[in-house]
């Protein structure tokens, strides 16, 4: 297990195949993926295969990271950075189990990831994208300092692009 970051309440570490069951469960809740364009995995085995083939750490030096509570060592979701080679930009994203919503975990972990991107990875710009209806994610992007840049389409749906420059 490679620990990347620590916050007051969380450890952010690389995702691995032992997370397959949690990863599978996370995407089962339609509320967790309603604004993402993602589909639920068909099985825990499919989630395991996804994780086995997740190459962002090797290809880009960073990626999405598992968020583990310090007090109970529980996988509660993920947060991290993702390089989009088509757009030549790095996106910040997060997804948590519903029972951990509105408790500050997304803001806490995203702030740490943003700082990591600028201070450790020397990124000059980080973007965040959200469907227009996804008010909670937009609120997190604003809380961590990203500013509205423009309206975009994601999966042919109205979305917004937020950004922050170092």
């Amino acid at each position: 297990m490679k620990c990347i970051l620590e916050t007051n309440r969380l450890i952010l570490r690389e995702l691995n195949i032992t997370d397959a069951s949690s990863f599978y469960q996370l995407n089962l809740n339609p509320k967790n993926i309603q604004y993402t364009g993602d589909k639920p995995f068909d099985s825990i085995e499919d989630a395991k295969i996804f994780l086995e083939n997740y190459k962002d750490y090797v290809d880009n030096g960073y990626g999405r990271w598992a968020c583990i509570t310090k007090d109970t060592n529980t996988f509660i979701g993920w947060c991290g950075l993702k390089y989009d080679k088509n757009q030549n930009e790095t996106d910040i994203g997060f997804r948590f189990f519903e029972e951990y919503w509105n408790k500050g975990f997304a803001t806490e972990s995203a702030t740490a990831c943003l700082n990591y991107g600028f201070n450790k990875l020397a990124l000059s710009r980080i973007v965040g994208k959200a469907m227009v209806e996804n008010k909670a994610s937009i609120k997190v992007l604003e809380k961590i300092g990203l500013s509205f840049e423009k309206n975009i389409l994601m999966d042919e749906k109205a979305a917004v692009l937020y950004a922050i420059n170092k």
Side-chain angles (χ1 to χ4, degrees):
M1 166 176 92
K2 184 173 179 187
C3 179
I4 306 298
L5 293 167
E6 266 190 63
T7 70
N8 287 340
R9 300 179 292 167
L10 298 170
I11 293 171
L12 279 72
R13 63 158 172 78
E14 290 185 353
L15 293 161
N16 60 60
I17 59 171
T18 64
D19 298 318
S21 178
S22 297
F23 212 64
Y24 168 75
Q25 292 294 327
L26 183 63
N27 281 15
L28 271 186
N29 182 345
K31 291 180 184 177
N32 285 344
I33 58 174
Q34 69 181 338
Y35 301 119
T36 67
D38 294 340
K39 294 182 177 12
F41 294 105
D42 290 331
S43 66
I44 293 172
E45 184 61 28
D46 284 347
K48 182 180 175 187
I49 291 167
F50 174 88
L51 293 167
E52 286 173 336
N53 292 302
Y54 186 72
K55 303 294 182 214
D56 285 16
Y57 309 136
V58 173
D59 293 347
N60 306 312
Y62 56 91
R64 307 297 200 198
W65 297 305
C67 293
I68 310 299
T69 58
K70 285 182 175 180
D71 60 349
T72 62
N73 199 36
T74 302
F75 178 106
I76 64 168
W78 57 259
C79 183
L81 304 168
K82 180 180 176 117
Y83 180 69
D84 180 344
K85 65 183 170 201
N86 295 327
Q87 299 293 320
N88 190 30
E89 63 189 11
T90 297
D91 169 77
I92 190 159
F94 38 85
R95 186 174 305 164
F96 290 89
F97 282 106
E98 187 175 3
E99 58 264 35
Y100 296 97
W101 294 358
N102 300 310
K103 297 184 184 327
F105 288 111
T107 301
E108 182 177 327
S109 58
T111 298
C113 290
L114 200 63
N115 291 333
Y116 184 88
F118 288 138
N119 300 324
K120 291 278 192 188
L121 300 173
L123 298 174
S124 59
R125 173 178 162 86
I126 297 174
V127 302
K129 300 171 188 167
M131 299 288 185
V132 170
E133 298 88 9
N134 192 348
K135 304 296 184 200
S137 288
I138 292 170
K139 185 176 179 183
V140 171
L141 295 175
E142 291 173 344
K143 282 170 107 175
I144 65 171
L146 279 74
S147 298
F148 173 81
E149 196 162 272
K150 63 182 177 180
N151 291 307
I152 60 171
L153 288 176
M154 280 177 33
D155 299 318
E156 300 179 23
K157 295 179 183 167
V160 290
L161 174 76
Y162 277 66
I164 187 170
N165 297 318
K166 184 171 183 182

